[in-house]
Amino acid sequence: MAVEKGLQLNYLVEENVPSMVKGDRFRIRQVLLNVIGNAIKFTQKGEVFVRCEVHNEVDIPLKRNEILLQFEVVDTGSGFTEEEAKFLFKRFSQIDDSSTRQHGGTGLGLVISKQLTQLHGGDMTAAGVPGKGSTFTFFIKTVLPSENDSPPLPPPATPG
């Protein structure tokens, strides 16, 4: 969808991010796809940029082998006001009814994404500037792999 709209889609994984962590890759992927998908949906020109880094929140207790990964999705889309931001994480809510008609959606994607980040020991926030874009930031708790851990095997190929 980004290519069809002529958008740049860029990402940066900071050097402090380990090459492997343990977590629920399906749920993390679901959150990323939803937030990036929304950024693309509401951006008509410019860029969607995703950054991943280790989050150094001092108020969150971590075990010796845990780290917080932070993801930031920044776009040059329509943005929103502080007042409109109050509706972003409410069930069946959209900033305005015209976005539902124009872009579709149920108003559940961000609610579910925020809940998934909270279930993973993190949270999600959003900030925007009307006409300039928005930034969605979320972090999750992950576990560093032990020496005995290895990446999961890929799913078996389907015959065909």
Side-chain angles (χ1 to χ4, degrees):
M1 201 158 99
V3 172
E4 295 167 3
K5 293 175 85 171
L7 300 176
Q8 292 182 27
L9 180 58
N10 296 304
Y11 71 93
L12 173 65
V13 178
E14 296 289 355
E15 290 183 14
N16 65 353
V17 175
S19 60
M20 202 168 47
V21 294
K22 290 168 55 175
D24 186 341
R25 64 184 170 149
F26 298 108
R27 299 296 171 248
I28 296 166
R29 181 178 186 267
Q30 182 179 357
V31 173
L32 279 168
L33 287 174
N34 182 52
V35 177
I36 294 168
N38 278 353
I40 293 169
K41 185 190 312 184
F42 292 102
T43 301
Q44 300 310 313
K45 64 180 181 178
E47 165 181 48
V48 174
F49 179 75
V50 183
R51 170 183 284 136
C52 177
E53 62 187 337
V54 173
H55 182 67
N56 296 310
E57 178 67 47
V58 293
D59 296 340
I60 298 175
L62 295 173
K63 295 177 184 166
R64 185 181 56 79
N65 62 339
E66 292 179 327
I67 63 167
L68 297 174
L69 283 185
Q70 177 173 293
F71 297 86
E72 196 175 53
V73 179
V74 182
D75 66 60
T76 57
S78 55
F80 48 84
T81 65
E82 284 185 45
E83 186 65 30
E84 291 170 330
K86 296 174 185 175
F87 297 100
L88 291 173
F89 299 110
K90 291 187 177 182
R91 291 179 182 272
F92 305 111
S93 179
Q94 304 272 341
I95 286 179
D96 69 49
D97 292 336
S98 67
S99 68
T100 303
R101 286 190 299 276
Q102 183 179 0
H103 300 287
T106 61
L108 286 174
L110 289 175
V111 174
I112 292 168
S113 293
K114 183 175 178 84
Q115 288 174 342
L116 288 172
T117 62
Q118 291 170 337
L119 287 170
H120 287 85
D123 205 0
M124 179 182 286
T125 59
V129 177
K132 300 279 186 188
S134 59
T135 300
F136 284 81
T137 305
F138 69 91
F139 65 93
I140 55 166
K141 196 179 285 188
T142 61
V143 177
L144 295 169
S146 68
E147 291 178 13
N148 300 327
D149 288 322
S150 61
L153 296 173
T158 53

